[in-house]
Amino acid sequence: MRFRRTLIAAMVSVTILAGTGAAAAGAAVSDEQIAITTPPAGSTAWTHDHSLGLTMPNPATASATDVARFFAGLSAAEQQRLVRKYPLVVGNFDGAPPALRYQANEQAMQQELAHQQAKVADSSTDSADRIAAQSRIAMLQRLLTPGHQVLAFDPRGRGLVAEVFGDLSTAERVSVLVPGSDMDLEHFYGTTAAPLKGTAGMAMQLRSEEDAVSPGTSTAVIAWSGYVTPVGLGADAATARLAQAAAPRLESLMSGLAVTAHPDAAPSLFCHSYGSVVCGIAAPDIAAPQGVSDMVVFGSPGMDVPDAAALGDGVRLWATARNPGDWIGDVPYLEVAGLGHGADPTSSDFGSRVISSTGSYGHADYLDPGTASLRNFADIGLGRYPDVACRTTGDSCLSGL
């Protein structure tokens, strides 16, 4: 009977566990999403291209170090040739020079824009597809505005995208924002009324706060919507299936940063909602000395690990105290038969450093201006640990630092 009650509690999480406010909005149960785990279009042709007289690194298996070495050995003309011929491959190749990826992704987005515009112009396109095409056109046009630095772009499915705010070549501190459910190309910037519901909006807010706290420090923040997230309510949000598919993609991103960002940059991960499940699974393979030492979770449903120690040596886990308006606290913190994401990272026995979120209210509001959580995120991202505010006065969240 006890097991049955536990199982039922886990199944309840299916009905309430979603991303940025979908549960509170009463969203319908979603269809199962198909994870993207294969290299982008053009990869097969790339691996069989011998026009440069070289063995091309395999997008499915090459390490970031090997990719960086390959591009470093090319002339500028050879690099440009590959950008023109294989924009999606170059644009998504972790380990390739960021500036070259920005250029390749601009070309790939131009091609996708033309494809979607043709859809809209085609009289045989049904109304639903036309609306979807118009929505994608609007986002592509925004990303193609001069000044954007798109580190990754893949038009498959709902669309994957990552954007850099700041200069990776000079940044002393690099932060990566890993979002939760309902994030994709269309929702990357949130809405005009609620920009912080989008990955890019959260990333821009974090960098703005970091710059305000330490104007003399060069920073960069990456908004990483680089995996297929759950949509609405459903089993996807209550299981780790999509997170398990996403973890290698996050590991690849971090490996790429290790060889292409400023050599002294200290990367930190900020993981929201279901994104904390992705970070938890990926953590053992991205821990220091590869570079990640600080991991911050907020609005977390659990991390699919039993405790902070399971994240790997050298990872400092900062768990943000749930604010009173965050419905994620109603999620059962357990895992039974693959449902649920395990222990609460803010619990006293998890082993995390629990930080204050005073002033925030709601699942997607931890980065609101003036909140303790936003200031804490900036201090952690900057390495200003003595300035971090613990959940309660006298707490030991700063012990050992």
Side-chain angles (χ1 to χ4, degrees), residues 52-75:
L52 297 179
L54 301 170
T55 299
M56 310 293 275
N58 189 329
T61 60
S63 70
T65 300
D66 288 341
V67 174
R69 186 181 301 115
F70 170 79
F71 279 98
L74 300 178
S75 67

Side-chain angles (χ1 to χ4, degrees), residues 136-269:
R136 179 161 290 197
I137 286 170
M139 180 52 66
L140 289 168
Q141 289 175 330
R142 181 168 187 172
L143 288 168
L144 285 165
T145 303
H148 286 267
Q149 301 177 131
V150 178
L151 188 67
F153 170 73
D154 193 328
R156 289 180 290 180
R158 291 153 46 211
L160 307 179
V161 62
E163 185 172 3
V164 178
F165 300 94
D167 188 343
L168 284 177
S169 67
T170 61
E172 303 164 61
R173 308 289 301 192
V174 176
S175 300
V176 179
L177 201 295
V178 181
S181 299
D182 301 311
M183 288 297 106
D184 50 30
L185 179 60
E186 180 181 354
H187 300 95
F188 188 59
Y189 273 90
T191 64
T192 301
L196 295 183
K197 290 186 183 293
T199 315
M202 289 191 284
M204 287 189 290
Q205 186 67 52
L206 176 57
R207 183 162 189 258
S208 176
E209 185 74 6
E210 289 180 343
D211 288 349
V213 170
S214 183
T217 303
S218 176
T219 64
V221 180
I222 299 173
W224 187 73
S225 282
Y227 77 103
V228 176
T229 67
V231 172
L233 309 182
D236 278 347
T239 68
R241 181 181 65 87
L242 292 178
Q244 288 166 347
R249 301 179 70 86
L250 180 58
E251 294 161 16
S252 179
L253 170 76
M254 302 310 292
S255 295
L257 290 177
V259 297
T260 59
H262 189 281
D264 296 327
S268 301
L269 280 174

Side-chain angles (χ1 to χ4, degrees), residues 6-349:
T6 303
L7 180 58
I8 290 172
M11 293 182 69
V12 167
S13 69
V14 175
T15 68
I16 61 176
L17 179 58
T20 52
V29 173
S30 69
D31 293 329
E32 183 177 80
Q33 298 297 301
I34 299 174
I36 294 176
T37 58
T38 55
S43 294
T44 300
W46 163 282
T47 56
H48 291 91
D49 189 332
H50 302 295
S51 60
L52 297 179
L54 301 170
T55 299
M56 310 293 275
N58 189 329
T61 60
S63 70
T65 300
D66 288 341
V67 174
R69 186 181 301 115
F70 170 79
F71 279 98
L74 300 178
S75 67
E78 289 171 330
Q79 290 183 353
Q80 290 302 312
R81 178 179 174 182
L82 293 178
V83 166
R84 290 191 298 271
K85 195 171 183 180
Y86 304 105
L88 284 170
V89 176
V90 176
N92 289 281
F93 226 152
D94 292 312
L100 201 65
R101 293 178 65 174
Y102 302 156
Q103 183 184 355
N105 285 318
E106 180 178 359
Q107 181 174 318
M109 290 189 296
Q110 290 283 10
Q111 293 174 354
E112 176 66 6
L113 177 63
H115 173 65
Q116 296 298 329
Q117 288 172 330
K119 263 187 170 182
V120 171
D122 187 344
S123 60
S124 67
T125 302
D126 63 35
S127 59
D129 287 343
R130 180 170 283 104
I131 291 172
Q134 290 170 333
S135 177
R136 179 161 290 197
I137 286 170
M139 180 52 66
L140 289 168
Q141 289 175 330
R142 181 168 187 172
L143 288 168
L144 285 165
T145 303
H148 286 267
Q149 301 177 131
V150 178
L151 188 67
F153 170 73
D154 193 328
R156 289 180 290 180
R158 291 153 46 211
L160 307 179
V161 62
E163 185 172 3
V164 178
F165 300 94
D167 188 343
L168 284 177
S169 67
T170 61
E172 303 164 61
R173 308 289 301 192
V174 176
S175 300
V176 179
L177 201 295
V178 181
S181 299
D182 301 311
M183 288 297 106
D184 50 30
L185 179 60
E186 180 181 354
H187 300 95
F188 188 59
Y189 273 90
T191 64
T192 301
L196 295 183
K197 290 186 183 293
T199 315
M202 289 191 284
M204 287 189 290
Q205 186 67 52
L206 176 57
R207 183 162 189 258
S208 176
E209 185 74 6
E210 289 180 343
D211 288 349
V213 170
S214 183
T217 303
S218 176
T219 64
V221 180
I222 299 173
W224 187 73
S225 282
Y227 77 103
V228 176
T229 67
V231 172
L233 309 182
D236 278 347
T239 68
R241 181 181 65 87
L242 292 178
Q244 288 166 347
R249 301 179 70 86
L250 180 58
E251 294 161 16
S252 179
L253 170 76
M254 302 310 292
S255 295
L257 290 177
V259 297
T260 59
H262 189 281
D264 296 327
S268 301
L269 280 174
F270 293 82
C271 316
H272 180 230
S273 194
Y274 189 85
S276 65
V277 185
V278 178
C279 291
I281 294 172
D285 293 314
I286 57 177
Q290 182 168 316
V292 176
S293 56
D294 289 304
M295 181 178 292
V296 182
V297 297
F298 53 110
S300 175
M303 302 181 68
D304 258 57
V305 295
D307 51 38
L311 298 175
D313 294 337
V315 175
R316 278 186 296 268
L317 177 63
W318 306 84
T320 310
R322 281 187 302 279
N323 67 51
D326 189 349
W327 53 264
I328 204 74
D330 296 327
V331 171
Y333 283 96
L334 44 80
E335 186 278 324
V336 178
L339 290 172
H341 301 298
D344 179 1
T346 68
S347 64
S348 59
D349 57 353

